[in-house]
Amino acid sequence: MLTRIEIDGFKSFREFSLDIPPFLVIIGRNAAGKSNLFDAIQFLSRLAGDPVLEAAQHMRGDVVDLFHKHTDGTVVGEMSFAVEVLLGRSVTDAFGDTAEVNHSRLRYELKIELRSTGTSGMQRPYVIHEAVRRIRRTDDKWMDDRFAIEQRKRLAAYRPGADPLETERDDQGRPVFSIRQQGNQGRKRRLPATAATATVLSSLATATDFPLLYALKREMQSWRLLHLDPSALRTPDSYDDPDSLAANGGHLANTLRRLADETGSAERLEGVLNDLSADLAAVIPGVVRVRLAEDDSRRQRQVEVVTREEAPFSARVASDGTLRAIALLAALYDPRGAGLICFEEPENGIFPQRLAQFVRYLRSLVDRALAAGAGDIALTQLVLSSHSPAILRALEPVQASRRADAVFMDVVSRVQRGRPGSRVSRWRWIAGAQQMTIDDGLDVGSVVSPREIAEFEVMAELDN
């Protein structure tokens, strides 16, 4: 679970930091930076397994476009990130080895520099700093603010020890990455850091030598952006296709088949597919259930939607909103896909009067995993982004001075004396029902007032 992110020098972000709860809604107009935030999360996820240049090539734009630009066009040559995470209690690698995670709360820091190489002026990114630090129990405000003592004990483990990864200098003054083995704090593995084209995390292949670092790597790789494509959602699956949901929504039918098989029983043959159908019926008028059409002769599988008044119809003719809702529910019900899920514009295709119920269902799936602790059910986290203020009305009322489950993003000018200015993304709290007081410790300018939200709603309607 991602609990905090800090970004400086990536796209529209300078000195940006945000604590992220298990369920969060980010609203703001187009070009406010919501997609850039999801890009930063996806970039970090790829850096945990791929070389920096390869990870950058999967992002929107060229490599140089990932670095922040001043208004005069000059490029900031460094970007840095920090993330804080809550890990599960164990991690299993691709070879089947499982290792205990004896410390669940880590902070990961990364800095990347853009360098010109050769006489051609070609620019390439290099890792110049990487570190992983333990978050001590006494410093863990994120956990204290959100969970009671008993739930904190179920979710997190703390163990004294040295930080598992640091960037240091060797005897000749050259930068090196120093990695410590768990349980053997005096023994270090050192890697040169003068021209690193990949992160240390990406070099780890097994869980046994460096369990904390490998668990962090797997956690970051689990962060997903669902950018659902209606054509991918409608495409039938071959029996031989993958059975995990792709980022574009592909392989939905095989994913649902696997979920039904893994969770089915004599009493409930379709397992959680029954629960998913009930959730969908509550938010899509007329829907009774979701089922799968099996064509053994062609070895193909297709999603079908059953309604009260019509014959069942296939995904080929289902609405985009119905298919998006099925895919998102499948991702949240799937323990294989547990982790952070980023999802844009959940309101698309959902009746406004049903949106509140849909959001409550989504939140309940996140809360279910948290209530179970870090044991049998994998932790799931959901971050929704929307340019429609209608999503706020779908959230539960908040009696406090500010909401903890939603923030507002926009773009402002950043001016520094003697330096070029730039346009940067920022976030602000959204006011709750209670009057804000000095005791809240918040600057008035850091909270979006109900009046500003009302004006935003008017502008959103005019844009539509």
Side-chain angles (χ1 to χ4, degrees), residues 219 237 420:
E219 164 63 27
D237 279 335

Side-chain angles (χ1 to χ4, degrees), residues 327-343:
L328 181 53
L329 289 168
L332 288 169
Y333 271 110
D334 188 0
R336 186 185 294 181
L340 169 61
I341 297 174
C342 301
F343 190 72

Side-chain angles (χ1 to χ4, degrees), residues 139-457:
D139 299 330
D140 202 348
K141 190 173 185 301
W142 188 92
M143 292 291 293
D144 290 343
D145 288 346
R146 287 164 179 82
F147 306 113
I149 294 177
E150 289 304 315
Q151 193 169 12
R152 288 202 302 265
K153 290 180 179 178
R154 290 198 305 270
L155 290 172
Y158 301 88
R159 182 77 61 85
D163 293 331
L165 172 62
E166 295 176 321
T167 302
E168 302 175 330
R169 296 275 174 178
D170 64 12
D171 295 339
Q172 284 75 42
R174 296 169 300 190
V176 293
F177 301 122
S178 295
I179 316 169
R180 287 186 173 88
Q181 288 184 319
Q182 182 170 297
N184 188 359
Q185 307 301 340
R187 185 178 175 185
K188 292 183 181 181
R189 173 186 170 192
R190 286 190 161 186
L191 298 173
T194 53
T197 59
T199 64
V200 172
L201 291 188
S202 67
S203 71
L204 304 176
T206 63
T208 50
D209 288 337
F210 307 103
L212 289 185
L213 295 181
Y214 188 79
L216 174 63
K217 171 192 175 92
R218 294 297 299 269
E219 164 63 27
M220 292 172 63
Q221 288 181 314
S222 75
W223 299 344
R224 293 190 295 162
L225 169 61
L226 291 184
H227 194 75
L228 302 177
D229 178 2
S231 62
L233 292 166
R234 291 190 170 91
T235 302
D237 279 335
S238 162
Y239 287 0
D240 300 320
D241 283 341
D243 58 2
S244 292
L245 190 70
N248 66 356
H251 312 306
L252 177 59
N254 279 356
T255 301
L256 294 176
R257 179 75 274 156
R258 174 177 56 80
L259 285 176
D261 292 343
E262 290 178 349
T263 61
S265 63
E267 294 76 23
R268 301 175 77 236
L269 294 178
E270 296 296 300
V272 299
L273 189 55
N274 295 319
D275 301 321
L276 186 151
S277 294
D279 293 346
L280 187 70
V283 296
I284 306 293
V287 168
V288 174
R289 61 183 287 236
V290 177
R291 71 182 187 186
L292 297 167
E294 312 277 354
D295 187 341
D296 292 334
S297 61
R298 296 183 179 181
R299 292 180 54 79
Q300 283 190 342
R301 182 175 291 120
Q302 177 68 285
V303 176
E304 285 191 340
V305 180
V306 181
T307 63
R308 280 195 294 268
E309 300 174 355
E310 301 176 11
F313 55 90
S314 74
R316 290 191 180 93
V317 295
S319 70
D320 292 356
T322 298
L323 293 176
R324 282 165 53 87
I326 294 172
L328 181 53
L329 289 168
L332 288 169
Y333 271 110
D334 188 0
R336 186 185 294 181
L340 169 61
I341 297 174
C342 301
F343 190 72
E344 295 182 314
E345 301 176 13
E347 68 276 7
N348 282 358
I350 303 294
F351 281 81
Q353 59 269 34
R354 300 293 186 104
L355 182 60
Q357 193 162 7
F358 184 48
V359 172
R360 281 196 295 270
Y361 276 122
L362 298 178
R363 189 166 194 165
S364 70
L365 297 180
V366 174
D367 291 340
R368 178 194 64 168
L370 287 171
D376 296 334
I377 299 179
L379 296 178
T380 299
Q381 184 177 21
L382 182 61
V383 179
L384 306 175
S385 76
S386 173
H387 61 254
S388 170
I391 193 76
L392 285 179
R393 294 194 291 271
L395 301 176
E396 297 289 342
V398 171
Q399 298 305 315
S401 60
R402 60 175 175 83
R403 304 198 66 97
D405 56 0
V407 296
F408 182 87
M409 283 190 69
D410 60 4
V411 177
V412 295
S413 294
R414 185 175 189 260
V415 179
Q416 290 182 296
R417 181 175 295 179
R419 297 182 184 179
S422 60
R423 297 283 288 170
V424 300
S425 296
R426 65 166 180 176
W427 69 272
R428 288 179 287 163
W429 298 108
I430 296 173
Q434 182 178 309
Q435 181 86 18
M436 190 174 66
T437 67
I438 295 177
D439 293 337
D440 293 320
L442 296 174
D443 202 301
V444 174
S446 68
V447 179
V448 180
S449 67
R451 179 178 178 179
E452 188 171 351
I453 291 294
E455 292 174 352
F456 175 42
E457 289 187 286

Side-chain angles (χ1 to χ4, degrees), residues 65-108:
D65 294 330
L66 301 184
F67 289 80
H68 183 76
K69 291 183 175 65
H70 297 299
T71 50
D72 64 1
T74 57
V75 177
V76 175
E78 284 187 1
M79 65 171 72
S80 61
F81 304 90
V83 292
E84 296 179 2
V85 300
L86 169 64
L87 302 175
R89 294 297 187 91
S90 64
V91 61
T92 302
D93 60 27
F95 305 99
D97 286 334
T98 299
E100 176 195 1
V101 175
N102 64 15
H103 192 91
S104 308
R105 297 284 282 130
L106 296 179
R107 176 182 172 87
Y108 177 63

